[in-house]
Amino acid sequence: MADALVNLTIDDQPVSVPKGTLVIEAAKQVGVLVPHYCYHPGLPIAGVCRMCLVEIEKAPKLQVACSTPVAEGMVVHTQTAPAKSGRQGVLELLLINHPLDCPICDQAGECELQDFTFQEGRPATRYTPDFPKRFNPVEDFGPDVLYVPNRCILCTRCVRFMEDVAKEPVLNVSERGDRAFIGMHPAARLDHPWAGNVVDLCPVGSLLSKDFLHRARAWELDKTASICTGCSQGCNVTLDTRQGVVVRVRPRVHLGVNRYFMCDHGRANYRWMNRGDRLDAPLVRDPDGHRAVDWDEALARVTRVLEGASGSAVVLASPRASTEALYLARSLVARFAWTGAYELVMGEEAPLAGVPDLALRAERAPNSTGADLLGYTADYAAALAAAERAAVVLVLDAPQVVLRPAGALLYLGTIPLEDPETRARAEALLPVANVAEEEGTFVNRDGRVQRYFQAKSAPGMTQPAWWVLSALGAALGGDEIGSAADAFAALAREVAPFEGLSYARLGYGGELVARAVPA
Amino acid sequence: MGYPHTPHPRETLVLSKHFGEPEARTYRGWVKRGGYEGLKRALAMPPAAVVDEVKNSGLRGRGGAGFPTGLKWSFMPKERTKPHYLCVNADESEPGTFKDREIIRWTPHALLEGTLIAMHAIQADTAYIYIRGEFAEPQAILEQALAEARAAGVLGRFQIHVHRGAGAYICGEETALMNSLEGKRGVPRIKPPFPAAQGVFGMPTTINNVETLAAVPPIIVNGAKWYQAMCLSSPKSVGTKLFSVCGHVQKPGVYEVTLGFPLKDLIFELAGGMRSGRTLKACIPGGSSVPMLDRDESERCIMDYEGCATLGTMLGSGGVIVFDDSADMVYQVMRLARFYAHESCAQCTQCREGTAWTTRILERMLAGQGKPDDLDLLLDLSENMTGKTICVLSDSCAAPVVSAIKKFRGEFEAYLAGRSALVA
Amino acid sequence: MSTATHDASEPVFRGDTLKRLQEILARYPTKAAALLPALWLVQQARGWIAPETMVEVAGLLGLTPAHVQGVVTFYTMYHQHPVGRHFVQICTTSPCNICGAEDVVKAFLEQTGARELGATSPDGTWTITEVECLGACGFATPVLIDDELVENVTPERVAALVRKYS
């Protein structure tokens, strides 16, 4: 039963929203962004910054849109002189003690104080040089967070996040009046597993990530939608790249998965995407060692090996392998009696207490569910044992595997096999893309299939794993597959839980599979 | 001027009748003076009847807002499905105001009796008397009286606890008081929700000022009509008020008069008028948060809610601050701005930054370094600080600034011109 | 009271003080509401509230040290560092200001040797502060010496007061 709808007018546009909707949210629905700082849909309402002042007919004073619920027939004006003047007043007061740090502040280019000042602030200050600005030194809050008190606008988003979402109230507001600042008891550290979110939440450059400090300017960054590979939660993220290097990972909003947040483990988990010790070119094994070749020759070699083999096959996969790659690998070895497994690393679970069903999951793998649905298991030890005797061992980006296989060893990976003896036995070492260099899908622990997109070019002659595997499949008589979308389409046709899904349908929000556990 | 002293013949003594009598502090002494009769009668009435009687009396909140007390009580849920609370606001911190202190020091039982009647009326079993931390002596007297009342069995099922504040003017704001009581920083809450729906500990709560509650027992004993009849001007302002007169008067002190009393008489007759050789320059009639009056306005002002409003100011807490011609209005406005800057809780941008900036501009002006645009800047800041924040501390800083610039502009301009006509 | 000699890491809430806290806790439906009274007990015992004691109080009341620190730093009457044996608060807000309060402040600074507002006198006896309205405006200038309010203080009376409390 739908909530009763309330009809109101915002900037002369009619809008109908459920009862209880805040004016600031109703405004978004008609494309009106009311400038604000302390308000955030993922945090309890504070109503302290006073930035979101709007004029509401019949109300004697300006109202703050963030804590005013809609009413039937309400008429809201955000652009009238009193409203703009009120907001301009707030901006001026926020800036009197705010240092002119833009040239050295990480937030520049993605700073809401810059944005709204540019949009509706005063052109010049009336405060300096007459009065000195308040000064407090930078504070190290914890593992990744720096606090620059001079830039703080006391919106208290960080305090409210730690208190109400992380449920570890380790930040406070200390002192009062214009002496106030964000404080932390000396015995405490900001080391909660989800604490990094305060950096995202901070509208200005007051809370900063040490990892990202001075690494790039916001306007230099290309932003690409991706999925975190840190665990099976499947948090939606944005990969920020600068000149082809991933420099930052930030959460992307998904109300059904991670809401507005991601954990620090995932946040820090990106440097491997940039590593330089990659397989540059396809390598094939000759009697006197490996030789770099082109793809045609490499694929031809592997095809011959596969044609000449019979018996059992084992696929040893990375749990970061895409659903498409896992499916195509399975298709490739379908002619054999095959088993497949992935190595699942477990860690400590770290929930975000204030959000239901959100945690850094114990399974540190983004696609274990996808692998399960495709018939792979987590019994890696058994698979390793079987691999020693199999006719064909296909290793999919698991560089740490140590094998002395009786049969043919084929390796697709981002970096070379680490164990020299295992490497020496590989028939071919084929360079494949990592998650930042291709598009694909992962299935999270809830069974949600989510797309990730290509954020940077793959180095050297690297190709996506789906391309390599489908090329081999085609050479052995299978269908030609020209894109990741087509690979997924093929998967959806064959594997029951994925029935009816497609890249178009998945979009940015993903879809749940028909059932989470394979038949 | 301390107690005991002879009351002025033009005072109407209801609340202050026994100020100065040490025996009035004791339970026995209070009963001898007719105390706890009101409580007895109230307990024999249904709560709703008590609410109606206070409503009909026309009693308005004496802390500053002047909200009709009976109406405030009637906002509490009629059916008690969860605990109701009464908070007594004894945080008296409005500059110029010192009347609650006298009530607590001299007639603590009047406050306790009023508290108990209110608790009965709003169906609250527990009351907290939030008393400012600096009132150590009044608190000791109050705790003693409370112990005696408890021992005499007067409290019955009601529980009254004294809760000591720790130095924050803003805790006199009712929602900040509740936060402070809950063990938090004393910052005001956004409304709605209102206290009667969701107050302290999330429960229905009423907050009343000390003077308001002290007026309740006489109303119950003498009846609403009796209280209504005490009126000298506007029929919407009835009963007596304790005015604390301070500053440049011969006899500063607390004076109790019927509402509608002329300010001129309060200053010149009751408080003894100006010091020798001095003339009245300005008066703030209701505590520093209300606009100030110049001499002419002061001499015309009628001391009730409507009378003050007519002159663009407010009765407020009734803290009458008198400035004679020796006062440097620019300096005093700076000092008031500094008060608000110290007391700002820091939540709202306009208050946190605006009170401090206002103070700095005035300090600079006093140092002879004012700029020609300073007055416009101050007025512009005051405009931004008015009507846009969670509570009215910000507006309260603007009030003296705006009214002083309007009525004493010459003094400000003298500073801007690089000289001052007055010695501070 | 001598405030600087206690070991701040020693618990405050033992024996009678703990009993007092338990009595106080019974007055409120939440433990957190006992925070301001608990901090008063700390200040009565130690003269000031150390970061270690904030941890102790937080533990007893189910709060975080950050919460306690936020409260201690909000209220001006809680001392965040040791102060003189006598803590003096002199109101200088306008009603008292126009009655000569600032001269009373000067007199106290001179007579006690404290020299500067907020600083403690060399002999550790006095800390003089200017505060906002004490709610005794008709008795200008009111001076709060520890918990005792002295009314109608003039510069001339200060020397005798300082001697009396020294």
Side-chain angles (χ1 to χ4, degrees):
Chain A
M1 167 103 169
D3 276 336
L5 288 183
V6 175
N7 307 293
L8 66 153
T9 312
I10 300 180
D11 288 353
D12 299 323
Q13 298 179 77
V15 55
S16 298
V17 287
K19 183 161 177 250
T21 305
L22 300 164
V23 170
I24 199 172
E25 289 292 338
K28 285 184 194 172
Q29 307 238 354
V30 286
V32 174
L33 174 64
V34 181
H36 60 277
Y37 293 113
C38 69
Y39 173 74
H40 189 281
L43 300 174
I45 295 169
V48 295
C49 74
R50 314 311 289 177
M51 186 63 202
C52 63
L53 292 168
V54 296
E55 209 179 337
I56 299 182
E57 289 184 13
K58 299 211 195 94
K61 304 194 270 192
L62 295 176
Q63 302 294 314
V64 283
C66 69
S67 47
T68 306
V70 297
E72 185 67 29
M74 184 186 265
V75 181
V76 181
H77 300 290
T78 71
Q79 298 300 311
T80 53
K84 290 177 77 155
S85 163
R87 295 199 299 267
Q88 189 181 74
V90 171
L91 284 167
E92 177 174 36
L93 289 168
L94 286 175
L95 287 168
I96 62 173
N97 277 304
H98 194 89
L100 201 59
D101 274 0
C102 300
I104 57 164
C105 175
D106 277 0
Q107 200 85 3
E110 51 189 23
C111 170
E112 297 176 58
L113 188 57
Q114 276 186 338
D115 293 344
F116 296 136
T117 300
F118 193 75
Q119 189 177 303
E120 38 184 57
R122 299 183 69 89
T125 180
R126 298 188 286 185
Y127 186 80
T128 47
D130 303 334
F131 305 109
K133 293 187 183 238
R134 177 178 56 227
F135 177 82
N136 286 301
V138 174
E139 286 183 49
D140 184 335
F141 267 5
D144 190 49
V145 182
L146 288 174
Y147 176 58
V148 186
N150 302 337
R151 299 176 187 163
C152 179
I153 59 171
L154 276 193
C155 73
T156 69
R157 279 185 180 179
C158 55
V159 178
R160 282 176 283 138
F161 174 80
M162 292 311 297
E163 181 166 343
D164 288 285
V165 186
K167 302 261 188 240
E168 199 175 272
V170 73
L171 296 177
N172 64 32
V173 179
S174 286
E175 305 291 336
R176 64 180 196 219
D178 74 334
R179 288 84 57 206
F181 55 91
I182 302 301
M184 201 173 62
H185 189 275
R189 299 285 285 155
L190 191 58
D191 55 7
H192 187 277
W194 291 77
N197 289 294
V198 299
V199 177
D200 299 332
L201 288 167
C202 182
V204 298
S206 183
L207 288 169
L208 300 173
S209 159
K210 291 186 209 170
D211 181 69
F212 186 64
L213 190 67
H214 297 156
R215 289 190 64 197
R217 290 316 236 155
W219 55 85
E220 296 176 317
L221 301 173
D222 293 311
K223 301 176 197 316
T224 312
S226 189
I227 302 294
C228 180
T229 59
C231 78
S232 58
Q233 177 72 46
C235 293
N236 287 215
V237 300
T238 301
L239 295 180
D240 289 344
T241 53
R242 176 177 179 270
Q243 295 175 1
V245 177
V246 179
V247 292
R248 184 175 62 179
V249 184
R250 297 215 291 177
R252 187 162 48 94
V253 178
H254 193 306
L255 296 179
V257 180
N258 57 301
R259 295 187 60 78
Y260 309 92
F261 313 115
M262 74 181 293
C263 75
D264 290 10
H265 171 82
R267 231 177 250 279
N269 187 25
Y270 69 88
R271 288 189 187 259
W272 59 270
M273 298 177 194
N274 302 323
R275 58 192 297 179
D277 52 342
R278 301 285 293 267
L279 274 173
D280 289 319
L283 301 170
V284 296
R285 189 172 69 153
D286 283 346
D288 54 344
H290 285 108
R291 177 170 55 93
V293 296
D294 64 15
W295 276 107
D296 286 343
E297 189 176 339
L299 292 171
R301 169 74 76 92
V302 174
T303 305
R304 275 202 305 283
V305 167
L306 289 170
E307 280 169 341
S310 64
S312 66
V314 174
V315 182
L316 299 168
S318 158
R320 281 206 293 238
S322 68
T323 324
E324 293 78 359
L326 290 167
Y327 164 70
L328 291 167
R330 175 177 101 163
S331 302
L332 196 58
V333 297
R335 70 196 58 232
F336 305 99
W338 83 280
T339 56
Y342 55 92
E343 187 175 16
L344 183 57
V345 174
M346 302 294 280
E348 234 187 86
E349 182 169 282
L352 185 57
V355 180
D357 292 328
L358 183 56
L360 164 61
R361 298 296 173 181
E363 311 91 37
R364 300 290 203 254
N367 204 19
S368 50
T369 306
D372 292 339
L373 287 169
L374 289 164
Y376 293 76
T377 76
D379 194 352
Y380 203 62
L384 276 174
E388 297 284 358
R389 301 179 308 272
V392 171
V393 181
L394 177 60
V395 178
L396 184 49
D397 203 17
Q400 292 171 334
V401 79
V402 175
L403 288 172
R404 307 286 180 263
L409 173 59
L410 303 167
Y411 178 75
L412 279 70
T414 53
I415 59 173
L417 280 164
E418 287 174 6
D419 175 52
E421 287 221 33
T422 312
R423 187 163 70 238
R425 285 161 209 264
E427 276 302 316
L429 296 144
L430 306 176
V432 292
N434 69 30
V435 69
E437 298 157 353
E438 62 171 15
E439 64 170 337
T441 57
F442 294 138
V443 185
N444 79 351
R445 65 194 304 274
D446 298 323
R448 181 176 293 271
V449 189
Q450 304 187 104
R451 290 181 67 183
Y452 59 86
F453 297 81
Q454 183 173 5
K456 65 184 182 90
S457 322
M461 297 169 68
T462 305
Q463 292 287 350
W466 68 260
W467 181 92
V468 177
L469 294 163
S470 67
L472 291 168
L476 290 169
D479 292 329
E480 294 277 347
I481 287 177
S483 66
D486 287 345
F488 187 82
L491 152 71
R493 280 193 297 273
E494 192 184 316
V495 186
F498 295 86
E499 187 186 326
L501 297 179
S502 66
Y503 270 17
R505 238 186 93 177
L506 292 177
Y508 285 103
E511 290 266 358
L512 293 169
V513 291
R515 59 187 183 284
V517 178
Chain B
M1 186 188 51
Y3 288 95
H5 66 263
T6 317
H8 192 282
R10 288 188 67 190
E11 286 189 74
T12 307
L13 303 183
V14 175
L15 304 177
S16 60
K17 199 185 323 188
H18 302 294
F19 282 8
E21 299 168 29
E23 213 203 6
R25 291 180 180 145
T26 68
Y27 173 74
R28 283 231 170 78
W30 189 247
V31 169
K32 217 161 71 175
R33 287 157 176 74
Y36 290 109
E37 180 58 36
L39 176 62
K40 212 187 298 179
R41 296 199 199 177
L43 289 175
M45 297 159 70
V50 179
V51 174
D52 281 340
E53 187 74 353
V54 170
K55 241 194 212 165
N56 295 336
S57 74
L59 174 66
R60 293 167 70 163
R62 298 288 194 239
F67 193 86
T69 307
L71 186 58
K72 189 190 256 198
W73 287 1
S74 76
F75 292 154
M76 294 290 278
K78 301 292 174 294
E79 248 190 70
R80 199 185 55 182
T81 55
K82 30 188 170 168
H84 291 184
Y85 289 95
L86 176 70
C87 291
V88 180
N89 191 340
D91 192 58
E92 183 168 69
S93 311
E94 181 74 27
T97 317
F98 50 100
K99 41 124 183 141
D100 294 338
R101 179 168 170 255
E102 301 299 344
I103 293 174
I104 300 171
R105 290 201 308 163
W106 292 111
T107 57
H109 286 281
L111 172 60
L112 292 174
E113 188 180 356
T115 300
L116 289 163
I117 296 174
M119 291 171 80
H120 173 65
I122 66 168
Q123 303 181 82
D125 282 342
T126 308
Y128 297 99
I129 302 179
Y130 188 103
I131 187 165
R132 62 178 294 183
E134 297 86 343
F135 277 5
E137 182 222 11
Q139 180 178 351
I141 295 172
L142 181 60
E143 307 246 29
Q144 168 77 2
L146 185 55
E148 286 184 19
R150 201 176 274 127
V154 163
L155 263 53
R157 72 171 198 281
F158 296 118
Q159 296 210 34
I160 300 179
H161 304 294
V162 177
H163 184 98
R164 187 182 186 193
Y169 160 78
I170 189 60
C171 289
E173 198 277 345
E174 63 176 16
T175 62
L177 189 154
M178 292 194 293
N179 272 340
S180 185
L181 190 56
E182 291 180 6
K184 303 173 182 159
R185 292 163 60 88
V187 300
R189 301 176 179 175
I190 48 180
K191 296 191 278 205
F194 290 89
Q198 209 176 300
V200 75
F201 310 120
M203 299 293 143
T205 306
T206 296
I207 302 99
N208 283 132
N209 171 260
V210 166
E211 188 186 355
T212 312
L213 290 171
V216 170
I219 289 173
I220 300 297
V221 169
N222 299 304
K225 283 211 175 63
W226 163 81
Y227 202 71
Q228 281 267 346
M230 287 190 283
C231 171
L232 291 176
S233 180
S234 161
K236 291 198 258 179
S237 296
V238 300
T240 64
K241 175 92 185 72
L242 294 174
F243 288 103
S244 15
V245 186
C246 59
H248 290 154
V249 287
Q250 296 265 19
K251 295 196 285 181
V254 174
Y255 297 96
E256 187 173 6
V257 293
T258 305
L259 281 176
F261 199 86
L263 177 59
K264 180 177 183 181
D265 297 352
L266 190 55
I267 295 173
F268 287 100
E269 277 196 47
L270 278 61
M274 299 294 105
R275 300 177 295 172
S276 167
R278 291 293 178 196
T279 53
L280 176 65
K281 174 161 27 168
C283 175
I284 305 180
S288 66
S289 302
V290 309
M292 57 176 72
L293 302 173
D294 63 24
R295 175 193 171 134
D296 172 66
E297 291 166 328
S298 306
E299 291 178 350
R300 288 187 285 128
C301 185
I302 296 299
M303 293 302 271
D304 64 17
Y305 297 99
E306 289 69 39
C308 288
T310 321
L311 287 171
T313 186
M314 294 166 60
L315 189 73
S317 63
V320 179
I321 312 172
V322 180
F323 301 86
D324 69 26
D325 56 305
S326 74
D328 180 341
M329 298 317 292
V330 181
Y331 191 88
Q332 292 312 317
V333 169
M334 180 280 293
R335 190 57 190 81
L336 286 176
R338 193 188 282 169
F339 166 82
Y340 293 107
H342 279 168
E343 300 294 341
S344 170
C345 79
Q347 283 193 113
C348 301
T349 307
Q350 293 95 332
C351 181
R352 178 180 76 241
E353 307 289 347
T355 53
W357 190 3
T358 299
T359 308
R360 277 180 211 133
I361 296 169
L362 290 163
E363 284 172 346
R364 184 184 62 186
M365 205 183 285
L366 287 160
Q369 283 152 21
K371 298 218 171 116
D373 288 337
D374 275 355
L375 294 185
D376 284 340
L377 178 56
L378 284 170
L379 291 173
D380 201 27
L381 274 180
S382 296
E383 163 75 34
N384 272 322
M385 289 163 65
T386 303
K388 303 179 175 74
T389 47
I390 296 175
C391 85
V392 294
L393 191 150
S394 184
D395 309 49
S396 301
C397 180
V401 172
V402 172
S403 57
I405 291 177
K406 181 162 161 210
K407 299 172 189 184
F408 302 98
R409 194 174 181 110
E411 292 192 37
F412 290 86
E413 286 174 342
Y415 272 103
L416 291 175
R419 57 183 169 80
S420 177
L422 297 166
V423 176
Chain C
M1 134 187 342
S2 174
T3 60
T5 57
H6 293 251
D7 178 1
S9 60
E10 282 286 306
V12 170
F13 290 96
R14 300 178 283 206
D16 280 338
T17 315
L18 181 57
K19 243 173 90 194
R20 279 242 59 213
L21 178 63
Q22 280 154 354
E23 286 164 22
I24 290 169
L25 277 163
R27 299 181 194 162
Y28 306 97
T30 68
K31 284 203 255 178
L35 179 56
L36 268 73
L39 291 171
W40 278 118
L41 287 176
V42 171
Q43 193 146 293
Q44 273 149 25
R46 294 282 167 84
W48 66 293
I49 304 172
E52 297 90 330
T53 316
M54 291 185 205
V55 177
E56 185 195 348
V57 171
L60 286 166
L61 300 180
L63 301 166
T64 58
H67 178 111
V68 177
Q69 181 193 51
V71 167
V72 170
T73 58
F74 181 84
Y75 297 95
T76 59
M77 292 187 80
Y78 293 134
H79 307 315
Q80 297 171 51
H81 50 78
V83 295
R85 187 158 52 88
H86 292 304
F87 188 75
V88 179
Q89 301 178 73
I90 307 167
C91 173
T92 59
T93 313
S94 292
C96 297
N97 200 290
I98 57 177
C99 295
E102 291 187 6
D103 292 332
V104 172
V105 172
K106 274 204 203 81
F108 262 99
L109 287 173
E110 280 165 19
Q111 295 289 326
T112 59
R115 296 263 135 247
E116 239 177 62
L117 286 169
T120 301
S121 63
D123 63 3
T125 309
W126 298 95
T127 304
I128 312 296
T129 62
E130 261 189 47
V131 294
E132 302 297 344
C133 182
L134 285 172
C137 326
F139 305 91
T141 300
V143 176
L144 200 51
I145 302 180
D146 305 319
D147 276 346
E148 271 193 64
L149 187 81
V150 184
E151 297 173 345
N152 300 116
V153 178
T154 59
E156 296 72 37
R157 285 186 60 195
V158 172
L161 272 173
V162 170
R163 269 198 308 276
K164 175 178 172 197
Y165 284 88
S166 278

